[in-house]
């Protein structure tokens, strides 16, 4: 996992970077807010550890700027006991916060907890099951309840072909009037939201005569 550390104190940044690297992650250090935003845009990290007290741009502004384009997880590093900071951070869209001074074990546990909510499904698609949001290339796509359930069913077993009958039985078991046309309708709506080109779907593919399957493979037939 690629982790952006936006922190102006080099000792803290280096300490976090070495622990992250030891755990097999790829740390990126930014010592100012401006550098952090530039690296975020350029390196597309999976997670951001963001110090609130930065020398140039406030951590809040960095967070607000990130949230304009991305739903990627951001964990704030705040000064001990600053309750206002925590409330403000969460209201601006932070996923969690860690009080300084911190122990590495706590940082590791918080990162793991945040990342459990973002399950990478295939290249380009991530699902946040807690918020019921699908991220396509880092962009949040809001699905209706039926669309979300259909998507979840298909991605639960990548590559498996689900027939119309099976989809109806799993999603609408008590609806005696559900038809294959309903399934087609929701596949159509889902593709319009998540596919780059709904006419040539990459994620949800039709297997003619059988049904649908989820695949994230670029070169799938
Ligand atoms: Ca600082």
């Amino acid at each position: 996992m690629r982790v952006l550390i936006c922190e102006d104190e080099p000792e803290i940044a280096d300490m976090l970077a070495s622990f992250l690297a030891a755990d097999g992650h790829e740390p990126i250090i930014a010592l100012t807010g401006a550098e952090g935003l530039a690296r975020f845009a350029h390196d597309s990290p999976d997670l951001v550890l963001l110090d609130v007290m930065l020398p140039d741009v406030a951590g809040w502004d960095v967070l607000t700027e990130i949230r304009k384009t991305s739903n990627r997880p951001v964990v704030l590093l705040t000064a001990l006991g600053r309750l206002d900071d925590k409330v403000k951070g969460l209201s601006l869209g932070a996923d969690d916060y860690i009080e300084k001074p911190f122990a590495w074990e706590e940082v590791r546990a918080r990162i793991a907890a945040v990342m459990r909510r973002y399950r990478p499904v295939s290249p380009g698609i991530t699902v946040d099951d807690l918020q019921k949001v699908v991220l396509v290339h880092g962009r949040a796509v809001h699905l209706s309840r039926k669309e979300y359930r259909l998507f979840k069913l298909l991605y639960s077993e990548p590559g498996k072909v689900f027939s119309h009958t099976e989809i109806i039985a799993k999603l609408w078991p008590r609806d005696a009037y559900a038809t294959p046309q309903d399934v087609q309708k929701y596949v159509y709506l889902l593709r319009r939201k998540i596919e780059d080109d709904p006419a040539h779907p990459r994620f949800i593919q039709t297997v003619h005569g059988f049904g649908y399957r989820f695949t994230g493979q670029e070169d799938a037939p």
Side-chain angles (χ1 to χ4, degrees):
M1 200 167 74
R2 192 175 287 174
V3 181
L4 174 61
I5 304 160
C6 193
E7 162 67 75
D8 62 312
E9 286 163 73
E11 305 81 43
I12 297 180
D14 286 345
M15 187 263 282
L16 286 170
S18 56
F19 278 120
L20 284 164
D23 272 8
H25 300 299
E26 185 191 332
I28 301 165
I29 293 178
L31 295 172
T32 65
E35 195 188 340
L37 284 172
R39 298 303 296 261
F40 183 84
H42 185 262
D43 297 321
S44 190
D46 302 295
L47 178 119
V48 182
L49 296 175
L50 176 62
D51 182 23
V52 172
M53 303 280 279
L54 291 165
D56 56 338
V57 191
W60 312 124
D61 298 330
V62 175
L63 175 59
T64 304
E65 210 48 45
I66 287 175
R67 282 288 171 266
K68 282 182 188 167
T69 60
S70 167
N71 219 23
R72 284 307 148 72
V74 176
V75 175
L76 295 175
L77 307 174
T78 65
L80 183 67
R82 292 287 303 264
L83 183 66
D84 290 355
D85 284 358
K86 292 169 203 161
V87 173
K88 185 172 178 181
L90 295 175
S91 71
L92 286 176
D95 294 88
D96 205 349
Y97 56 84
I98 297 166
E99 284 185 356
K100 289 178 176 180
F102 45 73
W104 165 246
E105 285 66 31
E106 188 194 354
V107 179
R108 178 196 269 151
R110 299 266 180 177
I111 290 176
V114 167
M115 291 314 290
R116 268 198 295 276
R117 288 169 42 193
Y118 293 82
R119 189 149 63 96
V121 170
S122 80
I125 288 229
T126 309
V127 174
D128 180 347
D129 199 37
L130 205 71
Q131 293 186 43
K132 311 289 180 213
V133 166
V134 174
L135 306 175
V136 181
H137 306 305
R139 176 178 56 87
V141 175
H142 295 273
L143 304 177
S144 73
R145 200 163 159 272
K146 279 189 170 170
E147 290 160 3
Y148 184 80
R149 289 188 65 213
L150 173 61
F151 181 72
K152 225 180 129 176
L153 174 68
L154 296 173
Y155 88 67
S156 67
E157 290 181 70
K160 175 184 151 75
V161 180
F162 287 88
S163 69
H164 290 94
T165 318
E166 201 174 351
I167 292 171
I168 291 170
K170 294 227 158 112
L171 296 189
W172 309 301
R174 283 180 294 277
D175 185 350
Y177 299 99
T179 64
Q181 284 71 35
D182 292 323
V183 176
Q184 282 168 16
K185 181 180 108 185
Y186 285 103
V187 167
Y188 170 80
L189 292 171
L190 195 51
R191 278 177 176 157
R192 291 215 326 180
K193 290 188 179 177
I194 69 167
E195 299 283 357
D196 296 329
D197 178 3
H200 301 94
R202 192 188 127 198
F203 298 117
I204 295 172
Q205 297 179 334
T206 302
V207 182
H208 291 289
F210 292 98
Y212 303 99
R213 72 171 168 201
F214 175 83
T215 170
Q217 307 304 312
E218 303 271 3
D219 56 353

